[in-house]
Amino acid sequence: MKPPILIIIMATIMTGTMIVMLSSHWLLIWIGFEMNMLAIIPILMKKYNPRAMEASTKYFLTQATASMLLMMGVTINLLYSGQWVISKISNPIASIMMTTALTMKLGLSPFHFWVPEVTQGITLMSGMILLTWQKIAPMSILYQISPSINTNLLMLMALTSVLVGGWGGLNQTQLRKIMAYSSIAHMGWMAAIITYNPTMMVLNLTLYILMTLSTFMLFMLNSSTTTLSLSHMWNKFPLITSMILILMLSLGGLPPLSGFIPKWMIIQELTKNNMIIIPTLMAITALLNLYFYLRLTYSTALTMFPSTNNMKMKWQFEYTKKATLLPPLIITSTMLL
Amino acid sequence: MLKIIIPTIMLIPLTWMSKPNMIWINTTTYGLLISLISLFYLNQPNDNTLNSSLMFFSDSLSAPLLALTTWLLPLMLMASQHHLSKEPLTRKKLYISMLILLQLFLIMTFTASELIFFYILFEATLIPTLIIITRWGSQTERLNAGLYFLFYTLMGSLPLLVALLYIHNFMGSLNFLMIQYWIQPLPNSWSNIFLWLACMMAFMVKMPLYGLHLWLPKAHVEAPIAGSMVLAAVLLKLGGYGMMRITTLLNPLTNFMAYPFMMLSLWGMIMTSSICLRQTDLKSLIAYSSVSHMALVIVAVLIQTPWSYMGATALMIAHGLTSSMLFCLANSNYERIHSRTMILARGLQTLLPLMAAWWLLASLTNLALPPTINLIGELFVVMSSFSWSNITIILMGINIIITALYSLYMLITTQRGKYSHHIKNIKPSFTRENALMTLHLLPLLLLSLNPKIILGPIY
């Protein structure tokens, strides 16, 4: 893609999200969402093959539906409160509609079906933007309407998301699908405490973005999209295999790495609000997540996977891919505790 | 406590920057020096704890365990020298760094004064152990072993996190020193039963309790020697230490809730001892013997009498040293014949007489011969369980007999009798191995002269 066009499109994506985060008028928020979605479609279609087209179409359809649902909720809110300002939403129907629309944008269960397929059809770089930057806008709106969200609905969605994210990722070997299910599960954790303590959601989002960025960067360094190609990394960059090890363990939420911080804080907030069974269930289903991260580390870092002889010579070449900001990203994703 | 923690952290740059022929010497020497520092903590005031800072403290329960942990690091390094000799230098340094990191987390766990800090470090010890077992074990089953180890422990300990946060909200603080004064009795209700279960299951899995012990033979057998040593000697004691700390919060519900676990432990110790009699794999035998000894500790902690706590503490230290020594002996066999099958290396007494002496002493301490501290521990536990209920003496008696049976079986199979034919080509004992056995045995025998140090806070 020509650089000027890429710059304009990236700028539109960022502007869209910024408009969503910074405005207090519902119409402008909707405009921001639409800008964001329209601008990211060319990014998703960077590689012009049928798979990418299918992925972009699916993404467009779900996001457009969600935006329309959001508009419906906004209109109902306008009908009942007479104003366009984003603030406490008094009408429960409007609030439920908005919540449903935003969770559809995020990929929470039961609207999670598009996430693995879209992530699989696009390049690693686009997948990275999809799973990290695109979550910021809906989350910011959820943060702003958090006092009026129906707790039962969101908690149900969160629980089923954690379950789906855990079980869905178990049968995957494609890295992008694994990251998609990981995103579903993490969004579930974030949705669970929005109504109780939205600050923890921001903490979880920040750390999740850091860890996912690091993971995608490591995958891109290796140009690997399957577990099999990741397992050849011990030939090329043995140091990176240990990075993948601690990064995966951090994503799984093992102390003392930074992935444990959001889980600890979320469980603390939930127990402060007298919910004991739900955080226990969520914590135990997070173990399913840990299983498939651990499986990734088994094939990359902890065993030396068999490889053909001509692949073993790759350690002689210095790697030339730019790993922008990789060291600080990895350090913040693992050592913050 | 920083005077132990910072030198241990500094051991990591020491390994990475030493000259290649000096890495083992440097780390072992400085590890021994650090263990000398930890001995100072054994001098405890009688009715109080030594509080070092806001986050760390040491009392008569954690000081012997701390000394055991720091003593074990140089021993682990000495034991690993042979099987790592053919690896490239970076991997050797990585292995040593993993051991040092594990040591660091263990030191901080045993001296943590706040329960959530303890929890974080308790979980943190899993990561280096997982890496050591899975990366440096020798057979393909090590992958499965690592998975079982990690997931059994995590399944038990995630409810513990929720329970600790709940207690934190309820009581206001989880600092161990303060919470002793704020305890309210825990009445018997369904939610309190679940709270009790959530608190205790993590440590039960770690100990391990008989029904949840499946990870232990796998992990012990597949781990390399340093992994087996640290698993058997220290990581199991984490469970016992945690149980002793957390039962202060759970009175008097423990009297009611302890029954199923007592039954499992009492029956389980006989079962696992009997399985030892039928084992062909030497390391597996020692692993099951660990389960059996730890079942005694579980019984002792659940009874909650002063004598039983003393017995539990003494048994933990004694078993740590004995079990680690047995693993080192088994490893010396493994390095020579590259198989763990017992019958392949018989009659070693004729070829390696000094090693036979160590085998004899290790087996004798394993079966709790007087006047070793093993006996003191077991005797206190047996007596206190007799006072709890008279019938347990039958089970305990059977266990002692079967323990003696399998310890002597192991001794006789490996040492006595006519040697197998291929055994003539094995290398003689290294001085390193003899030094290793001595360093294990000497604290064990010397402690029988002054067992007061390891008898715990009730003495």
Side-chain angles (χ1 to χ4, degrees):
Chain A
M1 203 183 278
K2 287 196 193 143
I5 304 182
L6 191 60
I7 293 178
I8 295 180
I9 293 182
M10 284 292 183
T12 319
I13 295 177
M14 292 200 195
T15 319
T17 313
M18 286 292 148
I19 290 180
V20 169
M21 287 202 290
L22 295 175
S23 51
S24 50
H25 193 281
W26 273 114
L27 199 59
L28 266 180
I29 290 175
W30 176 77
I31 290 177
F33 272 126
E34 297 298 308
M35 269 174 73
N36 196 4
M37 172 185 67
L38 287 175
I40 207 171
I41 300 290
I43 298 283
L44 297 184
M45 279 179 41
K46 247 201 233 175
K47 263 216 178 123
Y48 198 64
N49 53 23
R51 192 72 190 273
M53 281 167 42
E54 176 193 343
S56 331
T57 319
K58 277 186 188 156
Y59 185 72
F60 175 74
L61 286 173
T62 47
Q63 298 284 308
T65 317
S67 296
M68 280 302 110
L69 259 177
L70 186 66
M71 205 55 193
M72 174 85 166
V74 164
T75 324
I76 295 181
N77 183 33
L78 175 67
L79 206 60
Y80 278 93
S81 64
Q83 42 98 9
W84 287 93
V85 177
I86 181 170
S87 64
K88 186 166 168 56
I89 302 169
S90 33
N91 192 15
I93 300 181
S95 143
I96 290 181
M97 274 202 159
M98 288 181 198
T99 317
T100 318
L102 290 167
T103 51
M104 214 191 278
K105 279 192 178 291
L106 281 174
L108 276 173
S109 163
F111 309 113
H112 64 278
F113 293 98
W114 60 271
V115 188
E117 292 155 13
V118 173
T119 323
Q120 181 61 29
I122 55 185
T123 58
L124 276 171
M125 174 68 104
S126 318
M128 181 170 81
I129 299 180
L130 181 75
L131 288 181
T132 52
W133 184 259
Q134 296 295 93
K135 310 287 180 194
I136 296 183
M139 276 297 178
S140 70
I141 302 300
L142 275 173
Y143 183 94
Q144 286 171 325
I145 61 171
S146 62
S148 29
I149 299 180
N150 186 356
T151 313
N152 295 331
L153 175 69
L154 207 56
M155 191 59 76
L156 184 66
M157 283 187 175
L159 257 175
T160 47
S161 297
V162 177
L163 280 168
V164 161
W167 264 312
L170 281 182
N171 202 19
Q172 306 296 337
T173 52
Q174 294 284 332
L175 293 175
R176 289 170 285 180
K177 278 210 175 124
I178 287 182
M179 293 313 291
Y181 282 108
S182 139
S183 132
I184 297 175
H186 281 271
M187 291 297 134
W189 277 89
M190 286 183 229
I193 37 122
I194 281 187
T195 48
Y196 296 107
N197 190 351
T199 319
M200 295 304 154
M201 183 270 288
V202 177
L203 174 71
N204 198 352
L205 186 64
T206 321
L207 281 166
Y208 165 73
I209 288 180
L210 280 172
M211 292 190 289
T212 313
L213 273 177
S214 318
T215 321
F216 269 103
M217 291 249 186
L218 285 174
F219 291 163
M220 283 196 292
L221 196 69
N222 220 15
S223 309
S224 57
T225 54
T226 63
T227 316
L228 187 62
S229 63
L230 200 64
S231 66
H232 296 311
M233 217 194 305
W234 66 271
N235 273 321
K236 294 186 263 182
F237 318 118
L239 183 59
I240 307 266
T241 56
S242 27
M243 299 288 119
I244 289 213
L245 173 65
I246 41 179
L247 202 52
M248 287 293 141
L249 291 176
S250 179
L251 263 176
L254 275 187
L257 306 167
S258 20
F260 177 64
I261 303 176
K263 295 204 163 48
W264 175 16
M265 289 294 131
I266 290 177
I267 295 182
Q268 185 170 25
E269 290 303 317
L270 286 173
T271 49
K272 273 190 197 162
N273 282 295
N274 279 329
M275 316 179 74
I276 308 286
I277 302 186
I278 289 183
T280 323
L281 266 178
M282 283 170 69
I284 294 189
T285 25
L287 282 182
L288 287 170
N289 262 344
L290 181 66
Y291 176 68
F292 57 77
Y293 297 139
L294 205 62
R295 208 171 43 188
L296 269 183
T297 64
Y298 267 23
S299 61
T300 29
L302 290 174
T303 56
M304 297 207 284
F305 220 71
S307 64
T308 59
N309 265 338
N310 55 355
M311 279 200 251
K312 287 194 189 138
M313 299 226 316
K314 280 200 184 160
W315 59 269
Q316 292 176 341
F317 302 106
E318 296 242 344
Y319 53 96
T320 53
K321 285 230 172 99
K322 267 186 268 196
T324 42
L325 276 186
L326 195 56
L329 270 179
I330 293 184
I331 292 182
T332 46
S333 350
T334 50
M335 307 262 187
L336 268 183
L337 195 59
Chain B
M1 203 50 63
L2 272 182
K3 53 182 173 284
I4 303 184
I5 293 179
I6 294 209
T8 315
I9 298 179
M10 282 297 138
L11 277 178
I12 299 185
L14 179 69
T15 57
W16 283 94
M17 298 207 247
S18 297
K19 286 191 287 204
N21 56 349
M22 289 290 285
I23 41 173
W24 295 109
I25 305 177
N26 275 340
T27 44
T28 318
T29 323
Y30 287 104
L32 278 171
L33 282 176
I34 295 177
S35 63
L36 274 181
I37 305 177
S38 72
L39 286 178
F40 280 105
Y41 286 98
L42 285 174
N43 179 22
Q44 295 276 339
N46 246 345
D47 51 352
N48 207 347
T49 63
L50 286 174
N51 300 323
S52 321
S53 79
L54 289 173
M55 295 188 294
F56 295 114
F57 84 118
S58 78
D59 74 343
S60 341
L61 173 56
S62 58
L65 288 167
L66 183 68
L68 180 66
T69 313
T70 48
W71 183 243
L72 221 67
L73 179 68
L75 269 55
M76 286 195 279
L77 290 168
M78 286 208 295
S80 316
Q81 279 184 19
H82 186 254
H83 80 92
L84 284 181
S85 53
K86 294 197 178 51
E87 298 232 356
L89 186 63
T90 316
R91 267 185 229 148
K92 274 192 228 180
K93 290 184 179 171
L94 264 175
Y95 188 77
I96 301 178
S97 317
M98 282 296 128
L99 286 178
I100 296 173
L101 199 62
L102 180 61
Q103 165 87 331
L104 179 69
F105 287 142
L106 281 169
I107 292 175
M108 293 208 281
T109 318
F110 280 126
T111 53
S113 63
E114 219 237 327
L115 276 171
I116 294 202
F117 192 42
F118 169 75
Y119 173 81
I120 293 180
L121 293 163
F122 177 76
E123 301 280 300
T125 59
L126 292 177
I127 299 182
T129 321
L130 175 74
I131 298 179
I132 293 176
I133 296 179
T134 325
R135 177 68 182 78
W136 276 282
S138 322
Q139 279 80 28
T140 58
E141 290 86 7
R142 68 187 198 268
L143 305 172
N144 218 7
L147 273 174
Y148 264 75
F149 167 65
L150 190 69
F151 280 94
Y152 262 72
T153 318
L154 279 176
M155 273 293 257
S157 60
L158 282 169
L160 175 65
L161 177 65
V162 181
L164 281 181
L165 288 169
Y166 172 75
I167 296 179
H168 185 99
N169 287 328
F170 184 63
M171 296 251 204
S173 155
L174 277 178
N175 195 331
F176 184 68
L177 305 166
M178 292 200 275
I179 216 168
Q180 288 172 323
Y181 300 106
W182 292 346
I183 307 171
Q184 299 159 14
L186 205 64
N188 189 355
S189 70
W190 271 108
S191 45
N192 281 337
I193 289 181
F194 281 114
L195 181 69
W196 193 94
L197 277 176
C199 287
M200 295 292 267
M201 284 323 280
F203 304 116
M204 294 289 184
V205 169
K206 200 82 175 152
M207 285 293 289
L209 182 65
Y210 174 59
L212 305 162
H213 67 288
L214 199 52
W215 64 271
L216 187 119
K218 287 190 175 15
H220 273 125
V221 165
E222 301 304 329
I225 177 61
S228 291
M229 283 168 76
V230 75
L231 260 175
V234 188
L235 287 175
L236 266 52
K237 316 308 180 264
L238 268 180
Y241 173 75
M243 258 208 278
M244 284 208 227
R245 289 284 186 225
I246 214 158
T247 41
T248 53
L249 300 171
L250 300 171
N251 268 326
L253 188 55
T254 316
N255 301 336
F256 173 69
M257 280 302 294
Y259 281 99
F261 299 99
M262 293 280 291
M263 297 303 121
L264 271 177
S265 303
L266 286 169
W267 184 237
M269 69 186 179
I270 299 182
M271 281 286 106
T272 45
S273 309
S274 323
I275 289 225
C276 286
L277 285 171
R278 298 291 294 170
Q279 286 293 330
T280 53
D281 185 340
L282 190 53
K283 272 179 110 166
S284 188
L285 194 152
I286 306 173
Y288 278 110
S289 130
S290 284
V291 180
S292 166
H293 286 274
M294 285 297 115
L296 274 173
V297 176
I298 296 182
V299 167
V301 175
L302 286 176
I303 298 181
Q304 295 185 301
T305 67
W307 276 56
S308 77
Y309 267 31
M310 284 200 274
T313 321
L315 195 52
M316 285 203 286
I317 306 289
H319 173 258
L321 287 166
T322 313
S323 182
S324 176
M325 182 168 177
L326 281 170
F327 273 114
C328 289
L329 288 167
N331 186 51
S332 71
N333 259 7
Y334 180 76
E335 282 170 4
R336 286 174 171 77
I337 60 178
H338 286 290
S339 163
R340 292 191 301 261
T341 319
M342 264 199 298
I343 52 176
L344 283 182
R346 291 182 307 234
L348 288 174
Q349 189 170 10
T350 39
L351 294 163
L352 308 171
L354 187 54
M355 200 53 82
W358 306 134
W359 271 102
L360 176 69
L361 285 171
S363 303
L364 288 179
T365 50
N366 197 21
L367 57 91
L369 195 73
T372 60
I373 45 178
N374 291 278
L375 177 79
I376 296 179
E378 281 199 28
L379 201 60
F380 280 19
V381 175
V382 171
M383 285 196 282
S384 48
S385 78
F386 179 66
S387 87
W388 179 74
S389 155
N390 290 359
I391 310 182
T392 55
I393 191 100
I394 306 177
L395 298 166
M396 296 276 181
I398 297 179
N399 183 41
I400 294 186
I401 297 178
I402 304 187
T403 309
L405 278 175
Y406 71 70
S407 302
L408 290 175
Y409 167 63
M410 179 174 62
L411 180 69
I412 293 177
T413 315
T414 50
Q415 302 302 117
R416 311 284 164 132
K418 182 154 172 58
Y419 48 82
S420 36
H421 282 289
H422 56 267
I423 222 78
K424 289 179 273 210
N425 287 332
I426 60 173
K427 301 194 179 92
S429 311
F430 297 111
T431 314
R432 171 185 63 87
E433 292 174 349
N434 288 328
L436 196 61
M437 307 308 163
T438 325
L439 285 175
H440 272 114
L441 206 53
L442 224 50
L444 203 56
L445 296 177
L446 286 176
L447 274 172
S448 49
L449 293 176
N450 188 8
K452 185 177 64 170
I453 326 175
I454 54 167
L455 281 181
I458 317 283
Y459 185 80

